[in-house]
């Protein structure tokens, strides 16, 4: 397969979707782990986001991670682009739309990846506006905080302020639920595209994918809810 075929053929697009999808799955594990540092406040109320602020500062100030951030954005954009191309191709191949009776046992969310991806994209834009743009460019709403003589952004306080509105929490929750369904199909689909598909591994990968999807979505939803309910902060 030539480089041109990788980005233009149906098989190539699916391969790109699989590889970028797995990289994003790994990123979500890291992202959820870093953000989960806010829950240290549950153990020690006087901690006041110190662990999370230090972790966020490390991620934002380390050169190698900043370089990887560029690759991450490239992967996200490529995943979105190829995903929409595949969705359009699938629609064009059908004589009728998706409002038909399916006899192959496929789940509704496996047939709605374009819609779920669009909802996730809206959530992603809002999320980047609230945190990434503020941290990297405008510094709006970011007061400095000092730990061990090192000054850094108080991202914990920014999260607390951002998640003070129920409509924002509702949008984030809807985005996370869409992400859960997207991952429920995409997890096992990515491995299948890469050739990991037989009776021995399929059930295991599907089960891991469901568990991963639920855990990731719950962790992200619990963050804004915990701030709003006063459990942390």
């Amino acid at each position: 397969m030539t480089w041109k075929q990788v980005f233009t053929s149906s098989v190539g697009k699916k391969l790109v979707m699989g590889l970028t999808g797995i990289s994003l799955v790994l990123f979500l594990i890291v992202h959820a782990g870093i953000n989960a540092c806010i829950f240290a406040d549950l153990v020690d109320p006087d901690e006041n986001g110190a662990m999370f602020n230090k972790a966020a500062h490390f991620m934002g100030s380390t050169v190698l991670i900043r370089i990887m951030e560029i690759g991450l954005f490239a992967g996200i954009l490529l995943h979105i682009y190829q995903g929409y191309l595949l969705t359009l191709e699938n629609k064009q191949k059908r004589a009728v739309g998706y409002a038909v009776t399916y006899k192959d046992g496929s789940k509704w969310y496996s047939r709605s990846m374009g819609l779920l991806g669009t909802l996730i994209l809206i959530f992603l834009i809002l999320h980047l506006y609230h945190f990434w743009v503020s941290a990297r460019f405008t510094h709006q709403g970011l007061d400095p905080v000092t730990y061990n003589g090192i000054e850094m952004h108080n991202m914990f306080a920014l999260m607390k302020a951002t998640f003070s509105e129920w409509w924002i929490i509702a949008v984030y929750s809807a985005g996370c639920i869409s992400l859960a369904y997207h991952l429920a199909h995409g997890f096992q689909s990515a491995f299948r595209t890469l050739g990991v598909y037989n009776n021995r591994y399929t059930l295991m990968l599907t089960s891991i994918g469901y568990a991963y999807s639920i855990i990731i979505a719950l962790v992200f939803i619990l963050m804004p809810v915990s701030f709003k309910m006063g459990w942390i902060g």
Side-chain angles (χ1 to χ4, degrees), residues 9 56 85 112 124 169 182:
S9 69
L85 286 182
S112 306
L124 180 61
I169 296 174
H182 192 81

Side-chain angles (χ1 to χ4, degrees), residues 32 35-44 47 52 156 218-219 222-224 226 231-232:
N35 283 14
C37 290
I38 65 173
F39 296 118
D41 199 58
L42 290 172
V43 180
D44 180 11
E47 203 266 348
F52 171 68
F156 186 80
L218 283 178
V219 169
L222 277 174
M223 293 175 190
S226 296
W231 298 337
I232 58 177

Side-chain angles (χ1 to χ4, degrees), residues 115-191:
L115 173 61
L116 292 172
T118 300
L119 294 175
I120 295 169
L121 178 59
I122 295 172
F123 157 72
L124 180 61
I125 292 172
L126 185 63
H127 182 63
L128 290 174
Y129 170 75
H130 281 149
F131 299 105
W132 187 76
V133 172
S134 294
R136 296 290 188 270
F137 302 104
T138 67
H139 308 307
Q140 183 176 357
L142 283 174
D143 296 323
V145 63
T146 302
Y147 302 106
N148 300 323
I150 301 176
E151 185 177 285
M152 56 191 70
H153 295 315
N154 193 344
M155 295 296 294
F156 186 80
L158 178 61
M159 287 184 72
K160 182 178 179 179
T162 301
F163 297 134
S164 62
E165 300 288 342
W166 276 115
W167 75 267
I168 294 179
I169 296 174
V171 172
Y172 269 65
S173 297
C176 291
I177 292 171
S178 299
L179 178 63
Y181 281 114
H182 192 81
L183 290 171
H185 172 73
F187 188 94
Q188 55 85 22
S189 180
F191 285 97

Side-chain angles (χ1 to χ4, degrees), residues 79-115:
H79 190 80
I80 293 171
Y81 177 71
Q82 296 288 57
Y84 276 119
L85 286 182
L86 284 172
T87 299
L88 290 175
E89 285 183 4
N90 290 336
K91 285 186 176 182
Q92 292 172 355
K93 288 178 182 178
R94 296 183 183 276
V96 294
Y98 282 99
V100 296
T101 301
Y102 288 87
K103 298 181 180 180
D104 60 356
S106 61
K107 304 293 186 180
W108 69 266
Y109 50 82
S110 68
R111 306 189 301 269
S112 306
M113 295 296 277
L115 173 61

Side-chain angles (χ1 to χ4, degrees), residues 15 188-198 201 205:
L15 181 62
Q188 55 85 22
S189 180
F191 285 97
R192 179 183 297 185
T193 298
L194 298 179
V196 184
Y197 181 65
N198 57 50
Y201 299 116
L205 286 174

